[in-house]
Every structure is written in C-alpha cells, then in structure tokens.
C-alpha cells in the first residue's frame, strides 16, 4: 500500500519537478518527457519507501522493493501522453458533460491498469520477503480499493499542471510578441523622428546661409553649412541603434543649437548644464531634440526679445531626469499635445513601459519646463 500512502508527497514532488523542468521541456514533448518525469517520481517514491520502512525496523528485500516501487509508475509514464491527448481534444474545466466523462473513463482505466500492474509486480517479485507471496487476486482487490483516491489525485495533478504549462506558454508567447511589437513601434517612431526634423528649420538654415553669403560673411556661411551637413548626416545615420550615450545626444544637440543660434542670434541664449559623470548614461537617440525644437518653436520664437533655453540632467542613482526649460508664453490649460511630443511619449512607453514619464508644465511665470524621467543605465 506504499503507493497510496505516499501519493501526497509524490504530487508535491511532481509539481516541484515540473515547475523546474518547464523552462526546458514542454508537456507536449510527449512520451520521452513524461518518462523522465515519472522516472524521477518513481526514484523519489522508491527511496522514501525504503528509507522509511528501514527506519521503522522492517526487514524486506530492499533492492527488489526499490526496483518494484520505481517500475510501478510505468503505467503513468505510458499513459500520461494519452491523458494529455484527451485534454487537448476535450478541455476542462467546462460545463459540457462529455469532457468530464472522457476524463473520468481515462482516470478509471489508469486506475485499473495501475492496480493490476503493481499487483502483478508484487506477486511475482515478493519485495516484502514474505514466506509466501500474496495471491494475485486478493492483492489486486486490495490495490483496486486502496489506489482509487491516489489515482484521482495524481490524474488531477497531471491535468492541472498541463493547463498551467499551456497558460504559461501562451503568456510567454504573448509577452514575446508584445516585446517585438514594442520594439517595432519604437523603431518606427525613431524613423519618424529622423524624418520629422522640422522642414522650416532646414529652410531657415539654408536662407541664413544664403544671407551670409550675400553679406560676404563667407567664414560664417562655411561654418553653418558644415554644421548643417553634420546634423543631416547624424539624422540619416541608421547604424547608431535605439540608444546612445547622453554625451552623444548632447553633441548632436549642440550642432542643432549652433544652427539655431546663427538664425536667432542674441535672441537665443542657450545653456547646457549636465555633469560629466552623466555623459555615459544611456538615453534614447533624439530624445532631447524634439523637446528643444518644441521649446524654440513655441517659446523663444514667440517673443520679440527671445529668451533663455536651458538643458539640464540629474540622477538619484536609479532615475535619470532630463529637463528642457524655455522662457516664453505659458502653456494653456489643457496642455496641447503636438506630434513631436506625442511621438516621444509613445516611444518612451515602447522602450520603458511604465518606468518612464514625460511631463510638460509651466515653471511658475518664467516659462515652460519639459521633464523626462527614465531608468538610469550606463551605456555599454
């Protein structure tokens, strides 16, 4: 009767093994996977049976008893794929009657086969070293009566674990698909940002270059042309990927602001306040340019006397905070959401999920402050 007495332990052991192996095996792998699982359960059952009986001072044929206990689980190894086949074609839980009848019949069939198999093994091998082996029919009757609750428990455990694995597999697939979708969305938004560089900015830069040439300020015209060329080269470069260092982002932003400075002259007063220690932080490429462009277009350009533009960064060790402040007209309520800010918000969400934030708010009466918070990571 050792099989019935140890069923709760075996069910727990089955669960522990299955949760460990589920990372490398699928329940749909069929008979080989089931055989490995049930062999492990049989060895566990055999060891605990032999050890517990020996500790109680019993005298049995220990090697034979161990082997019989291990082999007694063979029907489960053979029929588990069959039970899972029924589960795929007659899933439970359900309100329909047929699936429950099918699984009830399968459970009873395994119960009868398990009882017959263990009875035959004990009758032939006499593992308890009785003077005379138990007769087969009384032994079979005893097994049938004693093993029914254990069979129901083990069958139920197999079904529950299979459903758990199927649910886990679908969840992992959905998470992987969601990650691929988020990555694709972020790539698309990065491409959109590359193409979104304000056309008016390029036209104004070219007009400024033309004006410099007409005024015979050739040195400044050459510098502005070179700066515009570097800027467009960076925008069209497809090799940098989604992330760059904050230092690389600031370098690009410096070229952008250099051209804007030539356009606005003394009306644009720029200040970049970023500690050297943060220059190796990992940030999404072009994360600052849309915010600066928004600040110039809707802030500085709206004032006849221009205004100050400040870019700053700080970190508390876990969160990197980027800020763009501009002097200019205060925001209306509600805050308008332009294309650039909307794309930036969606891209940040695709890259970081809920571990990010982008806010745009009035900074008292002085101007407007855009703040980006994202996980602080050192770029490789």
């Amino acid at each position: 009767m050792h099989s019935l007495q140890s069923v709760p332990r075996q069910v727990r052991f089955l669960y522990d093994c299955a949760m460990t192996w589920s990372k490398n095996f699928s329940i749909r792998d069929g008979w080989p996977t089931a055989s490995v699982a049930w062999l492990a359960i049989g060895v566990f059952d055999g060891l605990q049976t032999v050890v517990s009986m020996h500790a109680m001072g019993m005298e049995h044929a220990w090697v034979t008893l161990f082997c019989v206990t291990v082999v007694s689980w063979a029907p489960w190894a053979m029929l588990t794929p069959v039970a899972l086949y029924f589960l795929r074609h007659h899933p439970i839980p359900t309100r329909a009657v047929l699936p429950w009848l099918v699984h009830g019949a399968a459970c009873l069939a395994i119960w009868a086969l398990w009882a017959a198999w263990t009875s035959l093994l004990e009758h032939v091998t006499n593992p308890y070293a009785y003077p005379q082996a138990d007769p087969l029919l009384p032994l079979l009757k005893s097994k049938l009566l004693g093993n029914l609750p254990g069979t129901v428990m083990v069958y139920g455990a197999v079904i529950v674990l299979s459903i758990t694995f199927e649910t886990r597999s679908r969840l992992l697939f959905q998470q992987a698909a969601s990650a691929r979708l988020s990555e694709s969305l972020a790539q698309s938004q990065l491409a959109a940002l590359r193409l979104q560089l304000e056309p008016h900015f390029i036209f104004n830069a070219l007009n400024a270059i033309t004006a410099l040439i007409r005024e015979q300020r050739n040195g400044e015209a050459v510098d502005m042309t070179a700066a515009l060329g570097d800027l467009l080269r960076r925008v069209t470069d497809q090799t940098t990927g989604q992330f760059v260092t904050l230092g690389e982002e600031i370098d690009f932003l410096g070229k952008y602001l250099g051209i804007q400075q030539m356009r606005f002259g003394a009306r644009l007063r720029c200040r970049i306040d970023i500690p050297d220690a943060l220059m190796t932080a990992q940030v999404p490429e072009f994360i600052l340019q849309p915010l600066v462009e928004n600040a110039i277009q809707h802030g500085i350009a709206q004032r006849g006397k221009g205004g100050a533009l400040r870019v700053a960064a700080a970190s508390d060790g876990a969160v990197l905070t980027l800020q763009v402040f501009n002097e200019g007209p205060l925001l209306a309520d509600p805050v308008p959401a332009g294309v650039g800010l909307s794309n930036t918000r969606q891209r940040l969400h695709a890259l970081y999920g809920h571990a990010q934030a982008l806010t745009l708010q009035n900074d008292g009466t002085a101007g407007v402050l855009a703040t980006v918070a994202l996980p602080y990571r050192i770029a490789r």
Side-chain angles (χ1 to χ4, degrees), residues 56-379:
M56 289 187 292
M58 300 181 180
E59 294 295 334
H60 299 311
W62 299 119
V63 175
T64 302
L65 179 59
F66 173 79
C67 294
V68 167
T69 304
V70 173
V71 176
S72 67
W73 290 96
W76 284 105
M78 297 296 296
L79 297 178
T80 292
V82 177
L84 300 183
Y85 173 84
F86 288 145
L87 181 61
R88 286 195 293 272
H89 290 79
H90 302 281
I92 54 174
T94 178
R95 295 182 179 180
V97 177
L98 180 60
W100 293 103
L101 293 178
V102 169
H103 287 285
C107 183
L108 291 177
I110 294 176
W111 164 64
L113 183 59
W114 192 22
W117 175 248
T118 54
S119 300
L120 182 61
L121 284 176
E122 292 184 15
H123 174 72
V124 172
T125 62
N126 191 19
Y128 298 104
Y130 296 144
Q132 185 176 359
D134 289 336
L136 180 59
L137 291 181
L139 191 58
L140 175 60
K141 181 180 179 181
S142 174
K143 295 290 184 182
L144 287 173
L145 294 177
N147 281 9
L148 181 58
T151 303
V152 174
M153 290 177 62
V154 175
Y155 189 92
V158 170
I159 298 302
V160 170
L161 287 174
S162 177
I163 295 173
T164 301
F165 291 155
E166 289 294 332
T167 304
R168 177 178 178 273
S169 177
R170 286 196 298 269
L171 178 60
L172 291 176
F173 177 81
Q174 292 171 355
Q175 290 175 342
S178 177
R180 289 193 297 269
L181 181 60
S182 295
E183 181 179 359
S184 176
L185 176 61
Q187 291 285 359
S188 299
Q189 289 165 341
L190 176 57
L193 284 173
R194 292 181 187 275
L195 298 175
Q196 189 187 312
L197 190 63
E198 187 185 9
H200 293 295
F201 161 75
I202 299 177
F203 297 150
N204 290 332
L206 293 175
N207 289 334
I209 293 172
T210 301
L212 291 173
I213 294 174
R214 288 174 178 171
E215 296 174 8
Q216 297 185 356
R217 296 161 60 182
N218 296 333
E220 296 179 43
V222 170
D223 292 341
M224 192 169 185
T225 302
L228 182 60
D230 289 342
L231 187 74
L232 295 178
R233 185 180 301 110
R234 171 69 182 277
V235 170
T236 57
D237 185 7
Q238 302 291 330
T239 62
T240 54
Q242 282 283 354
F243 298 97
V244 295
T245 64
L246 183 55
E248 292 173 315
E249 185 70 5
I250 293 301
D251 180 66
F252 170 78
L253 190 62
K255 293 182 173 63
Y256 177 82
L257 287 174
I259 297 175
Q260 293 283 28
Q261 189 76 63
M262 294 180 188
R263 174 190 169 192
F264 285 93
R267 293 176 59 206
L268 176 61
R269 300 181 296 278
C270 301
R271 177 184 172 187
I272 296 180
D273 186 14
I274 297 180
D276 291 339
L278 295 181
M279 289 300 185
T280 57
Q282 183 190 75
V283 297
E285 188 178 20
F286 300 126
I287 191 62
L288 289 174
Q289 188 274 332
L291 302 180
V292 171
E293 178 183 308
N294 189 72
I296 293 176
Q297 180 179 355
H298 299 287
I300 307 299
Q302 303 301 317
R303 304 180 69 189
K305 62 179 180 179
L309 175 74
R310 185 178 71 251
V311 179
S315 172
D316 62 1
V319 177
L320 176 67
T321 303
L322 307 174
Q323 292 185 328
V324 177
F325 167 81
N326 70 273
E327 289 182 326
L330 300 181
L331 296 172
D333 189 18
V335 177
V339 176
L341 289 178
S342 297
N343 283 347
T344 302
R345 278 197 175 93
Q346 293 173 12
R347 183 172 173 232
L348 284 171
H349 188 271
L351 291 173
Y352 299 105
H354 295 291
Q356 53 77 34
L358 170 58
T359 60
L360 189 65
Q361 60 188 9
N362 294 322
D363 188 17
T365 59
V368 177
L369 180 66
T371 303
V372 175
L374 46 85
Y376 178 47
R377 299 168 183 168
I378 301 298

Side-chain angles (χ1 to χ4, degrees), residues 10-65:
Q10 291 149 3
V11 170
R12 289 195 297 270
F13 184 71
L14 170 63
Y15 177 82
D16 293 338
C17 289
M19 294 306 293
T20 301
W21 295 339
S22 65
K23 296 180 180 179
N24 301 316
F25 293 93
S26 169
I27 203 68
R28 287 187 174 181
D29 289 342
W31 188 82
T33 301
S35 298
V36 172
W38 289 112
L39 176 61
I41 293 171
V43 171
F44 172 80
D45 187 19
L47 287 175
Q48 67 95 18
T49 298
V50 170
V51 170
S52 61
M53 288 186 171
H54 188 272
M56 289 187 292
M58 300 181 180
E59 294 295 334
H60 299 311
W62 299 119
V63 175
T64 302
L65 179 59

